[in-house]
Amino acid sequence: MGQVIMHNVVSLDGFIADQNDDVGPLHEWYFSGDTPITPPNNQRPDGPEKFDHSGAGVDFKVSGASAEYVGPMWEGIGASIMGRRLFDLVNGWEGQPPAGDHVVVVSHRPKPDGWHPEASYHFVDDVTTAVATAKELAGDRTVIVNAGVVGGQALAAGLVDEVAMDVVPVVFGSGRRYFGDIDRQHLLDDPHVVIQGDRVLHLRFTVRR
């Protein structure tokens, strides 16, 4: 099976959004470059966004360095895992995730009645079941776990193979933490991916077992 990667865009001080779930300037680098790139499912990238939850038909323009990194990463995604908070914020991208064919939602509440029955969205109670379900659905492709509370739970449970961070030079001061409520140390190896884009630094770390 493929790897399980915890991922999100993050501020220098470790936040993926402010207290109001606004990402502020965190996603500006998706639109400030000169190289067009389109998510596999032609949707906006991960994360809560205030300006357009659907993003259908939107092309992104990133730096050449970011395009060479982000494009293959998006293409390799088979399934993603998200929490109910993000699902509600983006309304599950109306059943069309930015990348991958399947989504697993960690929630004690079921899928909303009548919500896009054709979409491969699976609602489970806990992160262990979520990772197992996503890996089965993804096959040999990558499982992406959205950073935040659910991502932190997956890391704490030893279910994450790599941590991927798109670090943007902004300090939030407070907000939604990349690692959620994680409360103990976890060692990672030195980054095996270090790519400088325009207004973003792409980093990937292997989680030590």
Side-chain angles (χ1 to χ4, degrees), residues 6-99:
M6 180 179 176
H7 172 259
N8 217 311
V9 184
V10 61
S11 68
L12 285 176
D13 53 345
F15 295 99
I16 58 176
D18 68 16
Q19 294 287 8
N20 298 316
D21 296 306
D22 194 332
V23 298
L26 287 180
H27 291 178
E28 289 180 357
W29 63 274
Y30 281 117
F31 310 98
S32 61
D34 55 9
T35 304
I37 182 171
T38 303
N41 297 342
N42 204 26
Q43 295 282 340
R44 286 195 182 278
D46 64 295
E49 305 195 31
K50 294 296 184 183
F51 44 89
D52 184 349
H53 290 331
S54 69
V58 175
D59 286 333
F60 302 91
K61 299 187 79 172
V62 300
S63 69
S66 289
E68 290 182 3
Y69 169 71
V70 173
M73 185 174 184
W74 278 348
E75 292 289 348
I77 296 172
S80 59
I81 299 171
M82 65 195 307
R84 187 57 181 256
R85 185 185 195 91
L86 178 56
F87 174 86
D88 288 342
L89 278 169
V90 301
N91 196 28
W93 300 290
E94 299 297 339
Q96 298 180 2

Side-chain angles (χ1 to χ4, degrees), residues 34-163:
D34 55 9
T35 304
I37 182 171
T38 303
N41 297 342
N42 204 26
Q43 295 282 340
R44 286 195 182 278
D46 64 295
E49 305 195 31
K50 294 296 184 183
F51 44 89
D52 184 349
H53 290 331
S54 69
V58 175
D59 286 333
F60 302 91
K61 299 187 79 172
V62 300
S63 69
S66 289
E68 290 182 3
Y69 169 71
V70 173
M73 185 174 184
W74 278 348
E75 292 289 348
I77 296 172
S80 59
I81 299 171
M82 65 195 307
R84 187 57 181 256
R85 185 185 195 91
L86 178 56
F87 174 86
D88 288 342
L89 278 169
V90 301
N91 196 28
W93 300 290
E94 299 297 339
Q96 298 180 2
D101 300 319
H102 314 279
V103 175
V104 180
V105 183
V106 181
S107 175
H108 295 301
R109 290 179 286 142
K111 183 189 298 186
D113 289 341
W115 186 88
H116 296 284
E118 78 289 349
S120 182
Y121 278 59
H122 308 263
F123 286 63
V124 300
D125 288 336
D126 62 88
V127 71
T128 301
T129 305
V131 172
T133 301
K135 290 176 74 171
E136 182 176 353
L137 291 166
D140 59 357
R141 302 178 74 194
T142 300
V143 171
I144 289 290
V145 184
N146 281 281
V149 173
V150 168
Q153 290 175 352
L155 179 64
L159 302 173
V160 172
D161 299 310
E162 291 192 10
V163 170

